[in-house]
Amino acid sequence: MSNAILVLFAHPALQRSRVQRALAKAVRDLEGVTFHDLYEAYPDFDVDVAREQALLAAHDVVVLQHPLYWYAAPPLVKQWFDLVLEHGWAYGARGTALVGKRFLCAVSAGGDEAAYCAEGENRFSLRQLLAPVEQTARLCGMEFLDPFVVYGTHALGEDEIEAAAAAYAARLGALRGAER
Ligand SMILES: Cc1cc2nc3c(=O)[nH]c(=O)nc-3n(C[C@H](O)[C@H](O)[C@H](O)COP(=O)(O)O)c2cc1C
């Protein structure tokens, strides 16, 4: 049985994007993947909660794809979390809509991988910096998967970006087919 994948994509300046644009292109037309561009859908941050909840309910794997901005996601993602993950729906005693789904962060970062550790410039690993997202997913009963990360974006050439995009598509392909 194959898993349905929902990609929640958030880039506030897609016209200037190199890396996320390539990642998006590599997965948006994959079979079994619903690609949902949040900044395109909600330029005024007016998130349609019922639509988003219906999308979540209809998929097995949720992917949150975005560039890292100030060690976090761009602001529409916060708005999306605040509005969509309602008490009694996503969490709380009767909030079980997301239980058993899997959650993957797909993030790009300007900093090098070596900078994301205790001794490095950024002092924390990316996995540590994603702790609020990880805990949000867990609170909602979802399994938080090992994040897909593209580091050092500023220094990447076209070939390296294409390789990262191919690796991302392969990761989603594996998730689509993977049994729990
Ligand atoms: C407002 C802003 C904040 C950023 N903050 C970070 C950061 O905290 N850590 C980091 O490694 N890169 C940071 N970056 C770099 C972006 O993550 C990087 O440019 C992006 O992932 C590249 O993808 P793109 O080509 O799709 O835009 C920031 C960029 C912008 C514009």
Side-chain angles (χ1 to χ4, degrees):
M1 205 192 78
S2 87
N3 299 300
I5 300 178
L6 174 64
V7 177
L8 301 170
F9 175 66
H11 198 307
L14 194 51
Q15 70 283 0
R16 290 201 295 273
S17 164
R18 293 196 314 140
V19 174
Q20 290 288 339
R21 179 196 297 277
L23 298 184
K25 183 161 174 261
V27 302
R28 68 182 312 150
D29 296 325
L30 284 182
E31 197 188 326
V33 171
T34 303
F35 189 87
H36 186 31
D37 184 336
L38 294 178
Y39 274 90
E40 183 181 73
Y42 307 118
D44 301 322
F45 280 45
D46 193 8
V47 175
D48 181 339
V49 173
R51 176 187 179 198
E52 296 303 309
Q53 290 182 348
L55 273 171
L56 287 168
H59 292 81
D60 308 297
V61 181
V62 180
V63 179
L64 182 60
Q65 181 190 333
H66 61 83
L68 196 68
Y69 278 11
W70 289 112
Y71 306 107
L76 180 54
V77 173
K78 181 67 164 62
Q79 172 85 338
W80 184 96
F81 275 118
D82 291 352
L83 296 178
V84 177
L85 301 182
E86 289 179 321
H87 182 261
W89 187 82
Y91 70 101
R94 281 179 294 154
T96 56
L98 301 174
V99 171
K101 298 184 191 295
R102 283 178 288 172
F103 191 95
L104 175 73
C105 285
V107 175
S108 60
D112 292 333
E113 185 166 10
Y116 281 98
C117 66
E119 302 75 33
E121 194 180 2
N122 294 315
R123 297 188 53 239
F124 299 95
S125 71
L126 206 48
R127 178 74 188 245
Q128 288 174 316
L129 293 166
L130 292 172
V133 183
E134 175 169 356
Q135 179 51 24
T136 298
R138 289 187 191 280
L139 184 74
C140 297
M142 293 189 279
E143 180 188 355
F144 187 82
L145 303 172
D146 192 30
F148 178 87
V149 187
V150 182
Y151 292 100
T153 55
H154 305 308
L156 295 180
E158 289 309 313
D159 289 353
E160 291 161 311
I161 291 174
E162 283 313 311
Y168 181 42
R171 181 85 190 268
L172 294 203
L175 278 173
R176 189 183 50 204
E179 296 276 337
R180 293 209 71 219

